[in-house]
Amino acid sequence: MAPSIWQLLIVLVIVLLLFGTKRLRNIGGDLGGAIRGFRSSMKGQATPEEPDSEKLTGENSTTSKSEAHAEEKDKTAAS
């Protein structure tokens, strides 16, 4: 037995009264950000290719960003 439109509206009014519109807007924004982050991480796992920024800079796939950053730091410290 599915709820009718009137039952859904009553539940919506009760939720608005309990939480308020500002809090619900924040929850909605947080939920949307979490879903976007999840989708982008799933895209990153699905494609094993290098991101475009690494292709443009010429870094190879075996060097991680942290290793490249550490090497640059060592070079500037040695100068």
Side-chain angles (χ1 to χ4, degrees):
M1 181 171 166
S4 70
I5 188 72
W6 294 109
Q7 291 171 334
L8 292 174
L9 287 174
I10 291 171
V11 170
L12 178 64
V13 168
I14 292 171
V15 168
L16 284 174
L17 289 173
L18 287 175
F19 294 109
T21 57
K22 187 175 182 180
R23 190 180 225 183
L24 288 176
R25 187 177 6 197
N26 290 341
I27 291 171
D30 293 343
L31 182 62
I35 290 172
R36 272 185 251 118
F38 178 75
R39 285 183 181 168
S40 67
S41 68
M42 291 304 291
K43 281 184 180 179
Q45 291 176 355
T47 56
E49 297 178 9
E50 298 176 9
D52 291 337
S53 63
E54 288 182 0
K55 287 180 183 178
L56 294 175
T57 58
E59 294 179 15
N60 61 13
S61 61
T62 58
T63 305
S64 69
K65 288 184 179 182
S66 60
E67 290 174 348
H69 182 66
E71 288 176 7
E72 289 178 18
K73 204 174 195 182
D74 291 340
K75 287 179 185 177
T76 56
S79 301

